[in-house]
């Protein structure tokens, strides 16, 4: 394969949460001016907005909508809450379709008041309840395994093996997985499970950031690529060997970067993308 030229940002996607201080208008114009070609929109940026107008705004700025973040959060000890979650996921699928996002990312959820195996069963039930609507809407569903430090409340699916197992069990081509290096870099099975994704053609998205030492906040201290210990190039290599040629999505939750000038931060992202991913 021929390496892309060093100024090629054609596969660079930025999540709106990465530049959290920016409105969708600011994100659209600044990403576009920076040469970024992909955007993953977090649902907060759609609240109270005309989604068709946001879709036009992004298209007018030359941005491809890569995915909508996020659906999921299916488990609860409370049956009414599980139904509320299903209803919310149906709405998220509608929003993705209206936005022109081909993928809804699922942060699957967990409830610390019950065993993880029960939460996993409720995740399967929740996905089953919405997958036909996703198919009818032309939206894929991507299970994103989360680092086990989030297993109490954010996701009972913590390894790529578990995500693959869930996809095998549900056996629906509308369902796939999202590989996020922040959550999965430590896993000794990662390469084998990425291969398994490739064989099943279910690798839908690839998220990058880095793991800082020490990590000072479990949620909002992700590093810029190159600042930490994640073998980004190696993991990207495994993903691309499986035929993945989609966007490389920069998803950084960082109190430290959100407090800085976002234009400077975006330039740092571009440089880190070229040098470390
Ligand atoms: Zn992610």
């Amino acid at each position: 394969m021929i390496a892309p030229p060093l100024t090629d940002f054609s596969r660079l996607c930025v999540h709106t949460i990465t530049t959290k201080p920016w409105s969708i208008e600011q994100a659209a114009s600044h990403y576009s001016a920076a040469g970024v070609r992909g955007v993953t929109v977090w649902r907060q940026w759609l609240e109270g907005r005309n989604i068709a107008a946001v879709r036009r705004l992004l298209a007018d700025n030359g941005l491809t909508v890569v995915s909508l973040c996020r659906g999921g959060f299916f488990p609860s000890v409370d049956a009414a809450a599980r139904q509320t979650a299903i209803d919310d996921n149906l709405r998220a699928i509608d929003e993705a379709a209206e936005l022109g996002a081909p993928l809804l990312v699922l942060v699957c959820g967990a409830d610390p008041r019950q065993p993880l195996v029960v939460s996993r069963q409720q995740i399967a039930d929740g996905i089953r309840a919405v997958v036909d609507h996703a198919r009818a809407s032309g939206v894929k569903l991507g299970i994103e395994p989360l680092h086990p430090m989030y297993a109490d409340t954010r996701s009972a699916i913590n390894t790529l093996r578990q995500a693959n197992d869930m996809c095998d069990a549900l056996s629906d081509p509308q369902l796939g997985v999202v590989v996020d290096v922040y959550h999965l870099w430590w896993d000794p099975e990662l390469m084998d499970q990425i291969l398994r994704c490739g064989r099943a053609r279910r690798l839908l998205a690839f998220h990058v950031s880095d793991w800082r030492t020490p990590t000072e906040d479990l949620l909002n201290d992700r590093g810029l690529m190159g600042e930490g210990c994640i073998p980004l190039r190696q993991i990207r290599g495994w993903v691309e060997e499986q035929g993945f040629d989609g966007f490389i999505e920069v998803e950084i939750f960082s109190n430290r970067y959100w407090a800085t000038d976002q234009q400077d931060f975006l330039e740092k992202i571009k440089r880190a993308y070229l040098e470390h991913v």
Side-chain angles (χ1 to χ4, degrees), residues 144 180 207 251:
E144 179 170 4
D180 184 323
H207 296 175
E251 182 189 32

Side-chain angles (χ1 to χ4, degrees), residues 161-239:
R161 173 187 283 275
Q162 287 172 331
N164 272 319
D165 287 350
M166 179 76 70
C167 287
D168 282 351
L170 296 176
S171 187
D172 192 305
Q174 208 63 24
L175 185 62
V177 301
V178 174
V179 169
D180 184 323
V181 299
Y182 193 76
H183 299 299
L184 301 177
W185 68 275
W186 56 273
D187 185 350
E189 288 195 330
L190 184 56
M191 185 183 77
D192 288 343
Q193 292 297 320
I194 287 173
L195 286 171
R196 186 175 162 198
C197 286
R199 286 195 298 273
R201 297 178 201 280
R202 62 168 66 120
L203 213 167
L204 301 180
F206 182 51
H207 296 175
V208 298
S209 61
D210 214 334
W211 185 280
R212 294 175 53 86
T213 304
T215 292
E216 291 170 4
D217 183 298
L218 294 186
L219 191 60
N220 294 325
D221 193 26
R222 293 193 187 193
L224 187 62
M225 298 81 75
E227 283 185 333
C229 57
I230 298 179
L232 287 155
R233 288 238 159 107
Q234 184 177 48
I235 300 173
R236 176 181 176 173
W238 294 337
V239 162

